[in-house]
Amino acid sequence: LDGGEGELLSRLISARNLRADRKRGSVYRVGVQPAPEVTVVIPVFRRFDLLWNQVLSWGRAGLVPWAEFVIVNDDPRIAIECAELVDQLYAVFGIPITLVTNESNLGFASSCNVGVAVGRGRTVLLLNSDAILADFNSVRRCSGLLDADPSIGILGAQISGPDDLGVHSGMTTTWLSFRNSWFNYHPRSG
């Protein structure tokens, strides 16, 4: 987009994102988790089937009593399927889940914000739908660190693949002159 279209598209997208009707949509809760310590926010776009593995891993860990799950469906086209899945997950695992369905696609970051606004835990864990925790106790340890030291506001984790190699450590951008655009780059991959 080198003929000025990029600036026009950017303004149109910004205007769309500011519209009042782009707020979170419906909220559907199954079960109740009284006084959760941690809110686990899991944004979903299209691949809601990945939630089976996610919830199964938490159920096997047996650490559900201190966590609440907020799934944010960022694809209103699959609203019915997501609600049915939440009912199935609750019936099988007994894990209370809150499902928020956005009225339109807001993107990952905004969906995280929607989930945080609905959550009730003292600490928030933002988790991709395809990520499985290797050490569930680390969530409680991190929550304890945040409680013990008010100067700490956020903690991050290393993402590893199935081979235990780091997927990446952070993200930066780099300018690709041959594409005439910015590109997201993950340093120290592997």
Side-chain angles (χ1 to χ4, degrees), residues 16 26 41 56 60-61 73 106 136 141 154 166 170 178 180 185:
R16 181 197 68 178
S26 62
V41 176
L56 176 62
R60 284 184 178 161
N73 172 16
L106 301 180
F136 290 89
R141 286 193 303 272
I154 187 169
F178 70 92
N180 195 31
Y185 171 69

Side-chain angles (χ1 to χ4, degrees), residues 31-63:
V32 176
Q33 190 68 288
E37 180 180 331
V38 176
T39 296
V40 181
V41 176
I42 307 170
V44 174
F45 183 77
R46 290 196 185 138
R47 293 295 311 273
F48 62 93
D49 58 306
L50 296 171
L51 293 171
W52 274 106
N53 290 332
Q54 185 69 261
V55 175
L56 176 62
S57 68
W58 282 86
R60 284 184 178 161
L63 300 174

Side-chain angles (χ1 to χ4, degrees), residues 141-153:
R141 286 193 303 272
C142 288
S143 182
L145 285 171
L146 291 169
D147 288 342
D149 187 346
S151 70
I152 300 173

Side-chain angles (χ1 to χ4, degrees), residues 84-149:
E84 289 173 348
L85 177 66
V86 165
D87 285 337
Q88 293 167 4
L89 292 170
Y90 182 68
V92 171
F93 300 106
I95 297 173
I97 299 174
T98 299
L99 171 66
V100 182
T101 299
N102 293 334
E103 290 181 2
S104 61
N105 176 255
L106 301 180
F108 182 79
S110 292
S111 291
C112 287
N113 290 339
V114 166
V116 169
V118 170
R120 299 172 296 123
R122 284 191 336 269
T123 303
V124 176
L125 171 63
L126 304 176
L127 201 57
N128 287 356
S129 59
D130 63 346
I132 305 294
L133 292 178
D135 178 7
F136 290 89
N137 288 320
S138 65
V139 176
R140 293 197 90 180
R141 286 193 303 272
C142 288
S143 182
L145 285 171
L146 291 169
D147 288 342
D149 187 346

